[in-house]
Amino acid sequence: MTSAVVALSLVGCGGGSSTADGGNSGSSSENASKPLVWYNRQPSNSTTGELDKEALNFNKDTYYVGFDANQGAELQGQMVADYIAAHKDVIDRNGDGVIGYVLAIGDVGHNDSIARTRGARKALGTGVEKDGDIDPSPAGTNTDGSSSIVKDGKIDGLDFTIRELASQEMKNSAGATWDAATAGNAIGTWSASFGDQIDVIVSNNDGMGMSMFTAWAKENKVPTFGYDANSDAVAAIAEGYGGTISQHADVQAYLTLRVLRNALDGVDVNTGIATADEAGNVLEEGVDYEYNEEDRSFYALNLAVTAENYTDFMDATKVYEPISKEVNSETKKVWLNIYNASDNFLSSTYQPLLEKYDDLLKLDVEYIGGDGQTESNITNRLGNPSQYDAFAINMVKTDNATSYTSLLK
Ligand code: BGC
């Protein structure tokens, strides 16, 4: 009994109680067995999408937390198609019988971005099959409908032709993806040459969507659809933003820290997740999230946010009621990074939520913001992993898990 208690306290002692000087209890092998959660960017091959099982199984307390990319992508596509059908009398701005849309692509190597591009093209009938699935490549400019990457589509029950007029990856010259400023410039270029043909804007996220909305679409009354349900985007629905998808960031932020908390407490991973913890925190599997054991992955489920329900989503950083109670555990130290400190979703929605949940879960989290371009900008700031009890990692590129795990070995 006594020895078990000693062993347990040793495992946790990399945290607040460790001294700054030598007496470093955290040997490198000890770091390799500390709880680790990947979040928002699932370790995977950015070309094929194949999961990096080695990274996902780095140790017995390793998990991924994200959301169901395909379910959310289908929902986004459906939301756009439903909007067009519901506004069929006014949607075709120049009356040419073609509903033209432009598409902002976040990152051609990111599975969420790929899924959303496919989801939009599927719902609008504009996807072209390639290797058994819809081609998610940027189409460039296609105002005449001659592209081989997309085709002219139809929505059931409507006479219009649907055309993807243009799409492009929004990457800036320094290499940052999902880049809102680049999207704002793109809509400037597109609208200057074929603005009267643009009836709808679709974006892989709200950061880029809002940039296009404020730069052009709002004034021209062109509905713009994004993803993430950032507070500014939800508020813009009152001003003509078409809609967005909530990826249940509240559930994801909680799960990100909760799996670490559970591992640090040595309790079942489902505590406070599928089964209530002592404080009464619990989620509903199949409604709030899904778990895939083989992929070691928790996926939050998405919800559509439109003119009909947006007032329920005005504060994107609100703690979710079923998981809002403080736990009674010993404080532990967590190192957590955000791949790009200026990513709209991660900095304006996810991090504020993490900061609320870290209090409720008694975790002392050190937040590291990256530049969105290089892994080393972040890993350089994990100089002494022995100071921390657990790690939460958001890679710049989904291929780069070993840049982090090599520091823990
Ligand atoms: C979000 C994007 C964000 C990206 C960063 C996605 O899941 O929807 O808004 O930029 O993650 O990795």
Side-chain angles (χ1 to χ4, degrees):
M1 180 66 193
T2 319
S3 65
V5 171
V6 171
L8 268 181
S9 62
L10 269 178
V11 171
C13 82
S17 58
S18 70
T19 47
D21 60 47
N24 193 349
S25 59
S27 73
S28 48
S29 63
E30 197 175 312
N31 291 329
S33 58
K34 288 177 181 172
L36 166 65
V37 62
W38 307 101
Y39 77 95
N40 178 264
R41 302 193 150 198
Q42 193 170 26
S44 53
N45 180 310
S46 61
T47 312
T48 64
E50 193 193 335
L51 295 186
D52 178 348
K53 289 287 170 76
E54 206 178 306
L56 290 163
N57 289 284
F58 177 64
N59 62 34
K60 69 169 188 26
D61 292 323
T62 301
Y63 295 94
Y64 170 71
V65 171
F67 62 98
D68 188 329
N70 295 325
Q71 179 252 347
E74 295 218 349
L75 208 57
Q76 190 195 28
Q78 201 49 52
M79 170 175 72
V80 180
D82 289 348
Y83 184 98
I84 294 174
H87 296 82
K88 61 178 190 303
D89 298 337
V90 291
I91 193 88
D92 185 8
R93 297 197 312 132
N94 65 356
D96 64 352
V98 179
I99 304 303
Y101 73 93
V102 293
L103 172 69
I105 294 177
D107 174 351
V108 295
H110 189 300
N111 59 332
D112 297 342
S113 185
I114 293 171
R116 292 172 202 172
T117 297
R118 287 188 169 135
R121 289 178 179 167
K122 183 174 169 205
L124 301 176
T126 52
V128 169
E129 243 193 63
K130 196 184 159 197
D131 307 327
D133 207 341
I134 290 176
D135 188 348
S137 314
T141 310
N142 176 46
T143 44
D144 62 358
S146 66
S147 167
S148 56
I149 291 168
V150 287
K151 64 176 198 286
D152 283 354
K154 282 255 171 257
I155 295 177
D156 277 351
L158 295 184
D159 290 335
F160 301 117
T161 294
I162 317 283
R163 179 171 300 162
E164 185 168 310
L165 300 168
S167 53
Q168 157 189 327
E169 183 187 39
M170 300 304 173
K171 186 173 177 168
N172 72 11
S173 52
T177 52
W178 305 87
D179 190 55
T182 303
N185 291 338
I187 195 64
T189 310
W190 289 335
S191 62
S193 70
F194 52 88
D196 64 327
Q197 288 175 259
I198 306 174
D199 302 310
V200 174
I201 296 178
V202 186
S203 171
N204 283 172
N205 80 358
D206 282 336
M208 300 182 295
M210 279 299 288
S211 177
M212 298 166 96
F213 185 68
T214 29
W216 182 77
K218 182 178 169 185
E219 201 184 316
N220 290 279
K221 304 206 169 4
V222 172
T224 304
F225 296 85
Y227 201 110
D228 289 340
N230 291 339
S231 297
D232 62 338
V234 174
I237 294 178
E239 304 176 329
Y241 196 71
T244 180
I245 302 290
S246 161
Q247 53 169 287
H248 240 322
D250 45 5
V251 169
Q252 288 183 72
Y254 172 78
L255 288 172
T256 301
L257 298 177
R258 184 76 214 204
V259 295
L260 299 179
R261 179 77 262 173
N262 289 345
L264 290 165
D265 291 346
V267 299
D268 187 278
V269 65
N270 270 309
T271 309
I273 300 178
T275 56
D277 65 9
E278 279 174 16
N281 294 304
V282 67
L283 288 170
E284 207 175 326
E285 189 162 7
V287 175
D288 299 318
Y289 78 98
E290 269 158 3
Y291 177 63
N292 182 317
E293 168 63 28
E294 201 191 320
D295 300 347
R296 308 280 297 169
S297 296
F298 287 89
Y299 300 109
L301 293 171
N302 305 266
L303 307 159
V305 182
T306 64
E308 267 135 59
N309 63 352
Y310 75 97
T311 50
D312 299 342
F313 293 84
M314 295 294 270
D315 182 3
T317 66
K318 201 169 80 195
V319 160
Y320 188 41
E321 202 281 323
I323 45 173
S324 55
K325 290 151 220 97
E326 189 168 313
V327 304
N328 184 13
S329 296
E330 187 194 341
T331 299
K332 296 282 179 177
K333 239 182 143 191
V334 176
W335 184 92
L336 178 148
N337 90 281
I338 286 176
Y339 90 102
N340 183 355
S342 48
D343 182 281
N344 297 64
F345 168 64
L346 292 169
S347 63
S348 73
T349 300
Y350 212 103
Q351 184 170 343
L353 282 163
L354 287 168
E355 285 173 7
K356 291 178 182 170
Y357 284 115
D358 68 15
D359 292 336
L360 295 175
L361 294 170
K362 304 266 178 61
L363 294 171
D364 174 9
V365 179
E366 182 158 335
Y367 292 91
I368 306 288
D371 66 4
Q373 293 151 36
T374 52
E375 230 70 60
S376 59
N377 174 277
I378 299 161
T379 51
N380 283 345
R381 288 183 278 166
L382 182 52
N384 186 0
S386 302
Q387 286 180 322
Y388 304 93
D389 300 304
F391 307 93
I393 298 173
N394 177 216
M395 292 172 281
V396 174
K397 259 196 122 209
T398 60
D399 314 79
N400 288 342
T402 50
S403 307
Y404 298 84
T405 53
S406 61
L407 299 175
L408 304 178
K409 279 183 183 153

